[in-house]
Structures are given as C-alpha cells and as structure tokens.
Amino acid sequence: MIPEDLRYTAEHEWVAAADGGAVRVGITHFAQDALGDIVYVQLPEAGAVVAAGEPLGEIESTKSVSELYAPVAGTVSARNEVLADTPEVINTDPYGSGWLVEIAVADPAAVDGLLTADAYRELTES
C-alpha cells in the first residue's frame, strides 16, 4: 500500500500536491499499522510556520505517542478538523480522509527531494 503518485519521508509521512501550490501531508499505511489504534492527534493551527524535519504535532495510539514531522518548510494552510473527533480515520484511510495538514510550501522544489514510492518501499522492506 504505497501509492506511486506520492512522495515520502523516512519518518513515514506522505506528501501529495494540493490546490494552489500547497501539499497535503499524512502518515503512511506502514506508520499507522505500526502505531496501532490511533486515539488522538495534535496538529498545528492554520498559519503556523513549520520547518522541514522539525516536529509539527503528535499522534497518540494505544501503543505510544509519536511526533509528526514537517516534510517541507512552509505555512500550514489547513488542518484536518475531522481528526479531532475521529482520529481513527487515519487507521482506516491514511491516504484519503485521514490526511493531517496542508502546507503552503516555501520552496516547491523541496518536494522533489523527498523519497519516491520505490525509495520508500526499499526503506520499509529493509
């Protein structure tokens, strides 16, 4: 379950092109599977400035609490408000309705520097 049209990080986030030069960010199927049942997500407010590789929130499961990392630098333009009441959507639809935030990217070329589906597949299979 590694969609070919997305980019990935070694921290198991995915990145997809969104409207207006923004990107949509979520965690991968691999990550949600490793976490187990997700019970809480803490996300930044719209307007927050994030730096690539730096924490932007937390995700809590029945197993652990993990930090979420910004895959690119920019400004949060939206967050998935559905997750406040139903964080388990991340488990059932990590690449769709379980997205986390949208980021207006400071440098669009940064997305090209992220892992391809093949590179992410190699990372998770090793």
Side-chain angles (χ1 to χ4, degrees):
M1 292 201 69
I2 301 174
E4 294 293 327
D5 60 334
L6 303 177
R7 291 294 184 140
Y8 300 88
T9 70
E11 290 77 29
H12 309 289
E13 283 96 14
W14 57 261
V15 176
D19 294 335
V23 294
R24 184 169 275 189
V25 178
I27 65 167
T28 64
H29 174 76
F30 181 90
Q32 71 77 27
D33 189 51
L35 284 168
D37 295 334
I38 295 169
V39 296
Y40 176 75
V41 181
Q42 181 263 315
L43 299 170
E45 297 286 338
V49 175
V50 296
E54 294 296 315
L56 65 73
E58 289 183 341
I59 189 163
E60 183 177 338
S61 72
T62 54
K63 293 181 182 178
S64 68
V65 176
S66 299
E67 288 193 303
L68 298 166
Y69 296 93
V72 292
T75 304
V76 175
S77 55
R79 68 183 191 171
N80 189 348
E81 299 294 347
V82 168
L83 301 179
D85 295 324
T86 54
E88 65 274 9
V89 169
I90 298 169
N91 291 118
T92 58
D93 192 13
Y95 297 111
S97 55
W99 65 276
L100 302 172
V101 295
E102 289 186 354
I103 299 172
V105 182
D107 177 12
V111 174
D112 295 334
L114 298 175
L115 300 173
T116 63
D118 286 340
Y120 183 70
R121 194 173 291 109
E122 282 183 32
L123 176 76
T124 59
E125 291 175 354
S126 59

